[in-house]
Amino acid sequence: MSRDLTPGTGVRRGQLRVYLGSAPGVGKTYRMLDEAHRRLDRGADVVVGFIECHGRRHTENLLQGLELVPRLTRGYRGTDFQEMDLDAILARRPQVALVDELAHTNIPGGRHAKRWQDVEELLAAGIDVITTVNVQHLESLNDVVQKITGIPQRETVPDEVVRRADQIELVDMAPQALRRRMAHGNVYKAEKVDAALSNYFRVGNLTALREVALLWVAGRVDEGLRDYRATHNIDRVWETRERVVVALTGGPEGETIIRRAARIADRTAGGELLAVHVTRSDGLAGASPGALAEQRQLVETLGGSYHVVVGDDIPSSLLAFARAHDATQLVLGTSRRGRLNRFLTGPGNGQTIVDLSEDIDVHMVTHEFTGRGRLPTLGRRHSRRRTVAGYAAGLVLPVLLTMVLSQLTGTLNLTTEALIFQLGVVAVALLGGATSALLASLVASLLLNYYFIPPVHTFTIGEPNNVIALVVFAVVALTVSTVVDHATRLTARAARATAEAETLSTLAGSVLRGADAVPALLDKTRTAFGMDSVALLDRASGEALARSDADGDTPAADRVVTEVPVGTDTLLVLAGRRLPAADQRVLAAFTAHVAAALERDRLATVAAEIEPIKAADRMRTALLAAVSHDLRTPLAAAMAAVGSLRSPEVEFAPEDQAELLDMADESLVKLTRLVDNLLDMSRLQAGALTLHLEPTGLDDVLRGAVDSLARPDAAVQPLDLDTVPAVLADPPLLERVLANVITNALRYNAPGAPVLVAASHHQDRVEIRVIDRGPGIRPEDRDRVFVPFQRLGDTDNTTGVGLGLALSRGLAEAMGGSLDVEDTPGGGTTMLLTLPAAATFPAETVPADPVPTDGGETE
């Protein structure tokens, strides 16, 4: 494989090889070291940039004989950490560098925040890199893995970084085999094995992760195959994966054939369903936009994708779409035309598609509407095949009519015979248009004169009336054929306009439903016009702002680039077939949609930039209004108490002095808590809150939270806190959350009733409930209690500015948990605090230091 030059350097870019693991412990690092020894034996200059063996002796043995680049020690928050020395590797300039754990987050202070960025710099310098990554660290699969395992992955790598790799090798292992490896102590230390096997490394989790990894790699292999076929101009379908295309006409049979196609696609793992509607210019069956919209929704519900293609020749357009998407099967509904319709107009699109399908399997699905269609519609745009057929019919049909009428000589008069010939001319006009009807009229006139106008078998006309009859016949035949042809053209134009309207309607609907309008528009433009690629370029720099590519089947000699201005700064560039004038009109409408989408994105960006400013203004206004009284009240009380004690004019008894000191102390505690809440809320909203997550016991945290209330009368009763595992949390912040929630419960609790604090363990989460017997909270107000500066209409500012619950929810979510409201059975409010259980997290996802270290195989 040839390597590209790194832009601006003239240095050939290094090659990237990625060992992708379906789960931790499958042997990625082992395989990487094994490959390093093979290259070393072939004479390559190989160094180890960074390897984590996690105490696995088989992996450590493979390090023997390999050159290790010394690691760089970097301090962070009083602790020293070892990182890869990027500059040392660049100075050493080996042929191959081994870099483990591609998704790792670097210790702050280095040149790059992520290790994959270090790898990019090594590749740009011409150094080949071999690296490892687990499938759960791919950015696009992060939420999928969290749904499967219930554990969020804090370190991710963009999919595009891995997709650009020259080689991707999946390191796979059966779930049962991986669990045996863990049980034998070959993955984690003995004290961590039981927790890992019963949680993250369950058979179901490992099986699901294995399937996710296989499908992701299969998609990458499919992309490589498409690139290869496009490079080598291979047009034939390679049946490497089942792709089922279902053709939709907008008729009532659509739902039946969509479901049938979905069942065919579901028979094989990874099967794809693609629905396509060819907007036609012949007006047949009158596609219903409403029916197409419903069918589109059904396709998307079944996991398929919907496409619209503009084409005059339906079979050719449909097959071109199927081949462009490497379809293996094509599903059609049987014709709704009746027998008379098929007799008059031929076999139809279905039979034509079957004849031209070659290596694509075609399924003709029967339905209840088969044979119930309408008679042929007058006025179609004639293809070259029908034009030729019209000329042939113009020559042959009058001859056949002459042969039939000759057998009936003496039975019919001249008028009847002329009308029969007239009917034949009209039939030819329907088939081939005015020109073929003119030919049929000329042949019919000659035959009528020669065989049926006396004297017969000569071109001489004996009676003047017969001359008039023959002239009238010719004029009527030409007039009728001209009218029929004109109606054909008008109907074709109307049908074309309808097709364009359907396309634009579908386009508008798809864009309105999409979150990212410009890429959706480019994709719809490419599929609608059958182009190889569509790109939106910046005029000044020529940089592609967005693009949509496909496996184009347009020969290089016929490929045309069409440029359409979009506003003053951008350009829409289409590469593929030459667009006719009619398609240019539709393209102008598409371009207008693109311009509108760009303007909408610009306005959305401006609005997004303004919204934080507006929110900050609202917050500032609310803050000033809320704290104006709350800051003065405890300050005034504390100053009054201290001033009274310092006054030389009054001598207080010891019990009065103690009361004044208690007043000052209580006021200062309120003031301190208010200021702390304000500072924490500002840091939380600014994203500057620093977390130190560690296993935290609930007993000690609750005790500290109650002590911080400075209320000797606080009745708080813990229940079953010693029966649940420690939670993964920041202890001071968790203490703050519990203190705020308990303070709120004490404020509204029934007199004499204690506030209960209970805990329970559910899989990988610990639920903490703070229960009071107060008046409760209405369902419609449950979200409002977590809004800053909100006291549900209570105008008593002596109880605080309303930050406690808002701050508590923010801190809980920052620690990976949640805070919600429930009803207390029998009356009251229960605050439900949910946090991750530290004991259920595998070693890879529990950070042992303030910096997340869950990338790759990190302990």
Side-chain angles (χ1 to χ4, degrees), residues 626-712:
V627 304
S628 60
H629 180 274
D630 293 283
L631 285 174
R632 286 199 303 266
T633 300
L635 276 175
M639 291 177 63
V642 174
S644 299
L645 290 172
R646 295 186 60 184
S647 175
E649 301 177 356
V650 181
E651 183 174 351
F652 293 96
E655 58 273 14
D656 295 332
Q657 292 182 357
E659 184 178 353
L660 288 173
L661 288 174
D662 289 340
M663 180 189 302
D665 182 65
E666 183 179 353
S667 298
L668 291 176
V669 167
K670 289 181 179 179
L671 182 62
T672 301
R673 182 176 292 113
L674 172 62
V675 173
D676 287 343
N677 283 344
L678 289 172
L679 291 176
D680 283 343
M681 179 60 74
S682 63
R683 285 196 295 265
L684 190 64
Q685 292 180 339
L689 188 66
T690 302
L691 299 177
H692 299 270
L693 301 181
E694 60 185 51
T696 304
L698 294 180
D699 282 328
D700 294 337
V701 174
L702 178 62
R703 191 178 303 112
V706 175
D707 292 341
S708 69
L709 300 180
R711 289 184 54 177

Side-chain angles (χ1 to χ4, degrees), residues 370-381:
T370 300
R372 298 185 182 181
R374 298 178 294 183
L375 289 174
T377 305
L378 293 180
R380 301 188 187 181
R381 177 175 294 178

